[in-house]
Amino acid sequence: MNSTAIDTAGIARALRAMGSAIGAQYVFTTEEDRIAYSDHYSADETSHQPLGAVAPATVEEVQAIIRIANEHKVPLWTISRGKNFGYGGSAPVVKGSIVLDLSRMKKIEVDAENGTVLVEPGVSFFDLFDFIQEHKLPLWLSVPGNSWGSVAGNALDRGVGYTTYGDHAARICGLEVVLPDGDLVRTGMGAMSGSPNWQLYKPGYGPSWDTMFCQSNFGVVTKLGLWLMPEPESVLGFDIDVDKPEDLGWLIDTLAPLRRQGIIQQSPSIGNWLRAAATLTLRDEWVEPGKPLTESVITAIRKKFNIGWWGVAVRWYGPLEINEATSRVVEKAFAGKPVMAMRPTRWVKGDAPEGSPATGVPVTYPLANANWFGGRGGHVSYSPVLPVNGALALDQYRRTSALYAEYGMDYHPSFAIGERHMTNVNQLLFNRDDPDMMKRVDSFMRALVKDATAKRYAEYRTHIDYMDLIADTFDFNNHALRRLNERVKDALDPNGILSPGKSGIWPANRREKRS
Amino acid sequence: MTLFQARNARLALFAAAAMLGLSACGGAGTGNAPSPAGGKQQANAGANAMQDRSYKSDAEKLFVEKCAMCHRDFGMGTVVLARRVEKGQEWLEKRTDLQADFIKTAARAGIGNMPRITRSDVSDAQLDAIAAYLEKAGRK
């Protein structure tokens, strides 16, 4: 979309210099490499195809690449592991960029006593899980639906998980960052060399900078501190199903006060029947291709897999006596409510490992939803943020599901309940072998954003195709936030080399490329 | 519903920022011991989704590190392949028909829902070792 004139001769010189700096075998520029770094889920993979990738292994090598990029004015696109499927994978906003791939940086330093870890960007959730198992550490992860990706990258992109540590960005404590001019900073207490408090005290002294590097293009994070949950004595909770779409309203209004009061401390994610079914079965087994999913089909699928129209898992972590009291409080809150099923769940230390994402076990299983249409599938996510309120959720459900029907797509929503907000993540599941469907995806996404914007809801995160579209919805005082972001960008990155276009932030020399 | 599906039905509650529960029709045992504190012990949602991450050789270790997340228990690849291949053959380590060249092509070019694996993520030498391991693993 933002294809731009790129100085290919300059890039060739830069790539040679980068090869000298980090080893030519870590500069990837074959056609196969270029395709490998494109957006695997895209209808047109060439639209965001990079010219190649470079993969440094140390912070010094990152600094060397940054200096060379400045010298040759080459745009880089930073990825941690590139598994951000549904948001662009490893592909850059600007076609022809060089991907700065940090997946070879895999150092892990755990402070078991304090429950913290310092990870490099190449560390996946599985890597960290294996490390913790190998060293028998009493610490639990919070994992996202796709745990193949980077721990650091996910936190920086404000990814979420299922435990009380599920707001990953909120658990960041201290960063090491290469700035766009090659300078190296450590944030928080890390700014004092040798501080024992880098991963313990978030603010530091004076302004705090950690969140400035979330969803931004202001630096390359080479180390990220993260708090980990000490293994609790027990995990109790309920799996709750409700039978009708309209049950969403009271379900949210029942959970919201419990969440706000801190009785529930993780973010329960209410998903519809398709969120479960898309990983369990194929659409073609139930309805002819191109035909809509009727209520009778939905009922048949739900019956076969015994799933509610909406389902949610809620969990509490800690000492058993506290958790048992919490279970009673939550049960009381649901007394008299028309639940379809409310199954208590229980794990107590000494039991066999519980083994699910609720206890921090990494999975890739949810990615199977891309196979809903049977062939080569994919999805993009549409994720507006709303106040926690049942009536607003019902209104959102009605408007959004109507748009899904209008565009001939299968409604796949979830509502994750935070302390003061809810995030309504909708998957636009598609079949890449269905050109008609692929043509509808873009206009459908734009219609969804238009609908949310009319309600003054914005997305919390978006695909590389829509970063400008979403940035544009932040319009207070004629886009004052954009002006601020651009002033910071220009001050830190005068040559505009780092991830131009990320989150709709464009450097001065490419600002005309904004879509 | 098979036991596998029943567990997946619970795991589906975690799907894509979703959590998934153990369906009543499966009645899958979770292997949980009785709670020391007494009281009724229930299967947790998605219990036992933890895959075997063990290995006995360097090549198998590489497979676990680079591939098992999708190609052992509860991996996306295993779940999707179960729909397409003969029963039991969804586990790459049990496949009897895999050729090293095919494995390398599938990894680099992607196949079905499998994204392409970059040379930074898995180097050519590592992919050679993994392909050689898989070619033999299922034929033992």
Side-chain angles (χ1 to χ4, degrees):
Chain A
M1 210 152 276
N2 280 293
S3 61
T4 181
I6 288 219
D7 170 12
T8 46
I11 286 200
R13 285 193 295 276
L15 286 169
R16 271 197 299 277
M18 289 173 188
S20 302
I22 69 169
Q25 69 272 36
Y26 301 117
V27 176
F28 305 114
T29 55
T30 66
E31 183 62 13
E32 193 175 73
D33 293 323
R34 284 193 276 275
I35 293 170
Y37 283 95
S38 301
D39 179 9
H40 171 71
Y41 281 169
S42 173
D44 175 12
E45 296 189 13
T46 64
S47 63
H48 292 283
Q49 196 168 100
L51 269 186
V54 292
T58 64
V59 63
E60 292 78 16
E61 289 184 358
V62 172
Q63 288 177 291
I65 287 166
I66 296 270
R67 290 192 189 108
I68 295 163
N70 271 299
E71 193 181 323
H72 298 277
K73 312 279 191 291
V74 169
L76 301 171
W77 179 262
T78 312
I79 62 167
S80 302
R81 291 182 44 78
K83 315 300 184 194
N84 204 10
F85 303 125
Y87 298 105
S90 50
V93 169
V94 176
K95 181 176 178 167
S97 300
I98 301 293
V99 174
L100 176 56
D101 178 351
L102 307 177
S103 61
R104 292 178 60 231
M105 300 179 67
K106 294 181 88 79
K107 285 200 194 81
I108 299 171
E109 287 175 49
V110 172
D111 175 349
E113 189 184 345
N114 287 303
T116 71
V117 65
L118 187 66
V119 284
E120 289 190 336
V123 176
S124 74
F125 290 91
F126 277 94
D127 294 332
L128 185 53
F129 182 77
D130 289 345
F131 182 94
I132 285 170
Q133 297 292 307
E134 188 188 337
H135 294 86
K136 298 187 174 22
L137 303 173
L139 297 170
W140 282 9
L141 301 187
S142 168
V143 298
N146 165 22
S147 308
W148 191 13
S150 159
V151 174
N154 178 274
L156 290 168
D157 219 31
R158 305 202 177 102
V160 297
Y162 308 102
T163 76
T164 54
Y165 282 53
D167 180 356
H168 298 163
R171 299 292 178 171
I172 295 173
C173 187
L175 303 174
E176 179 185 87
V177 186
V178 177
L179 295 179
D181 64 354
D183 201 2
L184 184 69
V185 293
R186 288 183 174 179
T187 64
M189 285 303 182
M192 171 189 272
S193 49
S195 168
N197 295 312
W198 189 16
Q199 270 63 68
L200 306 184
Y201 181 71
K202 294 178 189 181
Y205 176 70
S208 300
W209 295 108
D210 286 4
T211 56
M212 170 180 161
F213 298 102
C214 290
Q215 294 187 356
S216 88
N217 51 11
F218 297 148
V220 177
V221 175
T222 47
K223 286 187 177 64
L224 179 139
L226 194 71
W227 289 356
L228 301 176
M229 180 197 282
E231 183 185 40
E233 182 186 292
S234 69
V235 182
L236 271 59
F238 293 103
D239 291 342
I240 301 165
D241 285 316
V242 296
D243 191 42
K244 299 189 299 294
E246 299 74 32
D247 290 331
L248 179 67
W250 68 257
L251 180 57
I252 286 175
D253 287 337
T254 307
L255 289 169
L258 298 167
R259 181 76 177 99
R260 200 152 46 231
Q261 294 162 33
I263 294 165
I264 298 172
Q265 296 186 4
Q266 45 90 238
S267 292
S269 174
I270 303 168
N272 80 334
W273 65 273
L274 180 57
R275 182 174 68 172
T279 59
L280 294 168
T281 185
L282 294 174
R283 193 183 198 277
D284 291 357
E285 289 175 19
W286 301 91
V287 65
E288 278 177 50
K291 295 275 166 58
L293 295 161
T294 59
E295 272 309 312
S296 64
V297 169
I298 294 171
T299 303
I301 295 174
R302 283 183 48 203
K303 193 172 170 205
K304 170 160 182 187
F305 297 106
N306 191 32
I307 45 184
W309 212 99
W310 301 99
V312 61
V314 288
R315 295 289 183 275
W316 20 102
Y317 301 76
L320 185 59
E321 57 189 319
I322 294 177
N323 280 349
E324 285 181 331
T326 300
S327 293
R328 288 193 293 275
V329 169
V330 174
E331 203 161 13
K332 204 180 289 175
F334 276 87
K337 304 279 169 97
V339 295
M340 177 184 136
M342 187 162 170
R343 293 174 292 264
T345 69
R346 181 186 178 96
W347 175 89
V348 181
K349 199 168 177 172
D351 291 351
E354 185 268 355
S356 86
T359 54
V361 172
V363 291
T364 60
Y365 172 82
L367 286 172
N369 72 356
N371 193 228
W372 171 237
F373 292 99
R376 298 179 314 130
H379 61 80
V380 291
S381 298
Y382 157 69
S383 313
V385 173
L386 288 73
V388 191
N389 177 285
L392 293 179
L394 272 179
D395 186 48
Q396 182 75 3
Y397 148 72
R398 290 192 181 108
R399 294 185 343 268
T400 309
S401 59
L403 279 169
Y404 268 78
E406 185 184 330
Y407 283 86
M409 307 290 279
D410 297 337
Y411 184 50
H412 184 303
S414 65
F415 291 83
I417 313 299
E419 284 175 281
R420 296 292 188 280
H421 81 286
M422 59 188 178
T423 307
N424 170 216
V425 178
N426 301 271
Q427 302 286 353
L428 282 62
L429 289 180
F430 48 71
N431 177 1
R432 284 179 288 147
D433 294 319
D434 179 343
D436 285 344
M437 180 185 283
M438 295 311 287
K439 266 186 229 155
R440 293 198 298 273
V441 171
D442 181 67
S443 50
F444 178 38
M445 181 71 181
R446 288 172 192 280
L448 286 166
V449 172
K450 190 176 170 193
D451 173 77
T453 306
K455 295 282 175 188
R456 309 317 290 162
Y457 303 150
E459 282 204 273
Y460 91 102
R461 184 182 187 185
T462 200
H463 182 271
I464 50 175
D465 268 340
Y466 304 106
M467 287 183 167
D468 287 339
L469 181 73
I470 300 307
D472 216 36
T473 66
F474 288 82
D475 57 2
F476 171 75
N477 188 18
N478 191 24
H479 300 92
L481 180 68
R482 171 183 294 156
R483 293 196 297 278
L484 171 62
N485 285 335
E486 288 177 351
R487 281 152 76 187
V488 174
K489 181 67 175 166
D490 292 345
L492 294 177
D493 187 8
N495 292 321
I497 58 150
L498 265 193
S499 302
K502 170 82 180 177
S503 298
I505 304 169
W506 291 90
N509 60 355
R510 293 182 188 276
R511 218 155 271 161
E512 78 282 3
K513 300 299 174 193
R514 183 182 294 132
S515 59
Chain B
M1 188 191 289
T2 66
L3 184 67
F4 185 67
Q5 278 180 324
R7 278 191 194 156
N8 286 2
R10 292 292 84 187
L11 192 55
L13 265 187
F14 294 92
M19 297 178 92
L20 155 93
L22 228 169
S23 127
C25 56
T30 65
N32 282 1
S35 158
K40 58 182 172 181
Q41 185 81 16
Q42 298 281 335
N44 252 346
N48 288 349
M50 187 160 60
Q51 60 176 215
D52 175 10
R53 306 277 298 165
S54 67
Y55 51 82
K56 294 194 186 79
S57 68
D58 288 349
E60 188 177 359
K61 183 182 181 186
L62 264 181
F63 174 82
V64 169
E65 190 184 321
K66 305 293 185 182
C67 317
M69 71 289 288
C70 287
H71 286 295
R72 277 192 179 175
D73 276 4
F74 298 99
M76 179 265 273
T78 306
V79 170
V80 171
L81 280 170
R83 298 166 178 169
R84 298 180 185 178
V85 297
E86 217 173 290
K87 196 169 160 40
Q89 295 287 290
E90 64 269 34
W91 279 276
L92 294 192
E93 291 166 284
K94 293 181 185 167
R95 284 282 278 272
T96 52
D97 60 344
L98 287 178
Q99 304 285 339
D101 282 346
F102 174 79
I103 294 164
K104 288 190 263 188
T105 303
R108 293 297 184 217
I111 184 166
N113 284 288
M114 176 174 169
R116 304 168 193 100
I117 307 300
T118 64
R119 291 197 286 152
S120 172
D121 199 349
V122 181
S123 71
D124 286 335
Q126 289 174 326
L127 185 54
D128 284 344
I130 290 166
Y133 164 72
L134 283 179
E135 200 175 57
K136 286 185 194 144
R139 294 180 184 142
K140 276 178 187 166

PDB file of all heavy atoms in Angstrom, chain A residues 37-49:
ATOM      1  N   TYR A  37       9.589 -13.570   4.320  1.00  0.00           N
ATOM      2  CA  TYR A  37       9.344 -12.443   5.234  1.00  0.00           C
ATOM      3  C   TYR A  37       8.091 -11.642   4.850  1.00  0.00           C
ATOM      4  O   TYR A  37       7.818 -10.608   5.450  1.00  0.00           O
ATOM      5  CB  TYR A  37      10.563 -11.522   5.292  1.00  0.00           C
ATOM      6  CG  TYR A  37      11.695 -12.073   6.143  1.00  0.00           C
ATOM      7  CD1 TYR A  37      12.740 -12.799   5.587  1.00  0.00           C
ATOM      8  CD2 TYR A  37      11.700 -11.883   7.529  1.00  0.00           C
ATOM      9  CE1 TYR A  37      13.769 -13.307   6.365  1.00  0.00           C
ATOM     10  CE2 TYR A  37      12.724 -12.389   8.320  1.00  0.00           C
ATOM     11  CZ  TYR A  37      13.758 -13.099   7.734  1.00  0.00           C
ATOM     12  OH  TYR A  37      14.758 -13.609   8.517  1.00  0.00           O
ATOM     13  N   SER A  38       7.335 -12.119   3.859  1.00  0.00           N
ATOM     14  CA  SER A  38       6.096 -11.421   3.483  1.00  0.00           C
ATOM     15  C   SER A  38       4.974 -11.835   4.433  1.00  0.00           C
ATOM     16  O   SER A  38       5.135 -12.753   5.228  1.00  0.00           O
ATOM     17  CB  SER A  38       5.725 -11.764   2.040  1.00  0.00           C
ATOM     18  OG  SER A  38       6.764 -11.383   1.173  1.00  0.00           O
ATOM     19  N   ASP A  39       3.843 -11.150   4.307  1.00  0.00           N
ATOM     20  CA  ASP A  39       2.707 -11.461   5.188  1.00  0.00           C
ATOM     21  C   ASP A  39       1.995 -12.709   4.677  1.00  0.00           C
ATOM     22  O   ASP A  39       1.272 -12.670   3.692  1.00  0.00           O
ATOM     23  CB  ASP A  39       1.745 -10.265   5.235  1.00  0.00           C
ATOM     24  CG  ASP A  39       0.536 -10.533   6.120  1.00  0.00           C
ATOM     25  OD1 ASP A  39       0.521 -11.570   6.825  1.00  0.00           O
ATOM     26  OD2 ASP A  39      -0.396  -9.709   6.109  1.00  0.00           O
ATOM     27  N   HIS A  40       2.207 -13.787   5.389  1.00  0.00           N
ATOM     28  CA  HIS A  40       1.691 -15.095   5.003  1.00  0.00           C
ATOM     29  C   HIS A  40       0.168 -15.109   4.844  1.00  0.00           C
ATOM     30  O   HIS A  40      -0.385 -15.885   4.072  1.00  0.00           O
ATOM     31  CB  HIS A  40       2.137 -16.089   6.078  1.00  0.00           C
ATOM     32  CG  HIS A  40       1.542 -17.443   5.988  1.00  0.00           C
ATOM     33  ND1 HIS A  40       1.877 -18.340   4.988  1.00  0.00           N
ATOM     34  CD2 HIS A  40       0.637 -18.080   6.762  1.00  0.00           C
ATOM     35  CE1 HIS A  40       1.195 -19.460   5.166  1.00  0.00           C
ATOM     36  NE2 HIS A  40       0.446 -19.329   6.231  1.00  0.00           N
ATOM     37  N   TYR A  41      -0.535 -14.265   5.578  1.00  0.00           N
ATOM     38  CA  TYR A  41      -2.001 -14.265   5.544  1.00  0.00           C
ATOM     39  C   TYR A  41      -2.574 -13.270   4.532  1.00  0.00           C
ATOM     40  O   TYR A  41      -3.777 -13.103   4.449  1.00  0.00           O
ATOM     41  CB  TYR A  41      -2.554 -13.893   6.929  1.00  0.00           C
ATOM     42  CG  TYR A  41      -2.555 -14.997   7.958  1.00  0.00           C
ATOM     43  CD1 TYR A  41      -2.825 -14.714   9.292  1.00  0.00           C
ATOM     44  CD2 TYR A  41      -2.331 -16.325   7.607  1.00  0.00           C
ATOM     45  CE1 TYR A  41      -2.852 -15.716  10.255  1.00  0.00           C
ATOM     46  CE2 TYR A  41      -2.356 -17.326   8.568  1.00  0.00           C
ATOM     47  CZ  TYR A  41      -2.613 -17.013   9.888  1.00  0.00           C
ATOM     48  OH  TYR A  41      -2.649 -17.991  10.846  1.00  0.00           O
ATOM     49  N   SER A  42      -1.714 -12.594   3.786  1.00  0.00           N
ATOM     50  CA  SER A  42      -2.208 -11.514   2.935  1.00  0.00           C
ATOM     51  C   SER A  42      -2.743 -12.030   1.608  1.00  0.00           C
ATOM     52  O   SER A  42      -2.270 -13.037   1.077  1.00  0.00           O
ATOM     53  CB  SER A  42      -1.053 -10.536   2.678  1.00  0.00           C
ATOM     54  OG  SER A  42      -1.443  -9.575   1.747  1.00  0.00           O
ATOM     55  N   ALA A  43      -3.741 -11.315   1.067  1.00  0.00           N
ATOM     56  CA  ALA A  43      -4.269 -11.663  -0.254  1.00  0.00           C
ATOM     57  C   ALA A  43      -3.217 -11.377  -1.323  1.00  0.00           C
ATOM     58  O   ALA A  43      -3.099 -12.091  -2.310  1.00  0.00           O
ATOM     59  CB  ALA A  43      -5.536 -10.869  -0.525  1.00  0.00           C
ATOM     60  N   ASP A  44      -2.466 -10.306  -1.134  1.00  0.00           N
ATOM     61  CA  ASP A  44      -1.412  -9.934  -2.081  1.00  0.00           C
ATOM     62  C   ASP A  44      -0.099  -9.811  -1.305  1.00  0.00           C
ATOM     63  O   ASP A  44       0.194  -8.772  -0.732  1.00  0.00           O
ATOM     64  CB  ASP A  44      -1.768  -8.616  -2.769  1.00  0.00           C
ATOM     65  CG  ASP A  44      -0.630  -8.127  -3.667  1.00  0.00           C
ATOM     66  OD1 ASP A  44       0.313  -8.921  -3.928  1.00  0.00           O
ATOM     67  OD2 ASP A  44      -0.687  -6.961  -4.089  1.00  0.00           O
ATOM     68  N   GLU A  45       0.657 -10.890  -1.308  1.00  0.00           N
ATOM     69  CA  GLU A  45       1.863 -10.921  -0.469  1.00  0.00           C
ATOM     70  C   GLU A  45       2.943  -9.962  -0.963  1.00  0.00           C
ATOM     71  O   GLU A  45       3.852  -9.609  -0.221  1.00  0.00           O
ATOM     72  CB  GLU A  45       2.411 -12.349  -0.394  1.00  0.00           C
ATOM     73  CG  GLU A  45       1.440 -13.285   0.284  1.00  0.00           C
ATOM     74  CD  GLU A  45       2.039 -14.639   0.577  1.00  0.00           C
ATOM     75  OE1 GLU A  45       3.271 -14.797   0.492  1.00  0.00           O
ATOM     76  OE2 GLU A  45       1.255 -15.550   0.889  1.00  0.00           O
ATOM     77  N   THR A  46       2.830  -9.540  -2.227  1.00  0.00           N
ATOM     78  CA  THR A  46       3.857  -8.630  -2.743  1.00  0.00           C
ATOM     79  C   THR A  46       3.674  -7.213  -2.204  1.00  0.00           C
ATOM     80  O   THR A  46       4.603  -6.410  -2.237  1.00  0.00           O
ATOM     81  CB  THR A  46       3.820  -8.562  -4.284  1.00  0.00           C
ATOM     82  OG1 THR A  46       2.558  -8.011  -4.678  1.00  0.00           O
ATOM     83  CG2 THR A  46       4.007  -9.940  -4.902  1.00  0.00           C
ATOM     84  N   SER A  47       2.470  -6.898  -1.690  1.00  0.00           N
ATOM     85  CA  SER A  47       2.192  -5.509  -1.320  1.00  0.00           C
ATOM     86  C   SER A  47       3.076  -5.031  -0.160  1.00  0.00           C
ATOM     87  O   SER A  47       3.301  -3.835  -0.012  1.00  0.00           O
ATOM     88  CB  SER A  47       0.716  -5.326  -0.969  1.00  0.00           C
ATOM     89  OG  SER A  47       0.379  -6.090   0.162  1.00  0.00           O
ATOM     90  N   HIS A  48       3.530  -5.946   0.666  1.00  0.00           N
ATOM     91  CA  HIS A  48       4.405  -5.561   1.780  1.00  0.00           C
ATOM     92  C   HIS A  48       5.706  -6.362   1.758  1.00  0.00           C
ATOM     93  O   HIS A  48       6.282  -6.641   2.799  1.00  0.00           O
ATOM     94  CB  HIS A  48       3.693  -5.779   3.112  1.00  0.00           C
ATOM     95  CG  HIS A  48       2.533  -4.855   3.344  1.00  0.00           C
ATOM     96  ND1 HIS A  48       2.692  -3.542   3.717  1.00  0.00           N
ATOM     97  CD2 HIS A  48       1.202  -5.054   3.226  1.00  0.00           C
ATOM     98  CE1 HIS A  48       1.497  -2.979   3.839  1.00  0.00           C
ATOM     99  NE2 HIS A  48       0.579  -3.875   3.550  1.00  0.00           N
ATOM    100  N   GLN A  49       6.140  -6.728   0.563  1.00  0.00           N
ATOM    101  CA  GLN A  49       7.335  -7.577   0.502  1.00  0.00           C
ATOM    102  C   GLN A  49       8.607  -6.770   0.773  1.00  0.00           C
ATOM    103  O   GLN A  49       8.837  -5.734   0.154  1.00  0.00           O
ATOM    104  CB  GLN A  49       7.429  -8.249  -0.858  1.00  0.00           C
ATOM    105  CG  GLN A  49       8.410  -9.405  -0.847  1.00  0.00           C
ATOM    106  CD  GLN A  49       8.302 -10.260  -2.105  1.00  0.00           C
ATOM    107  OE1 GLN A  49       9.102 -10.115  -3.014  1.00  0.00           O
ATOM    108  NE2 GLN A  49       7.315 -11.112  -2.152  1.00  0.00           N
TER     109      GLN A  49
END
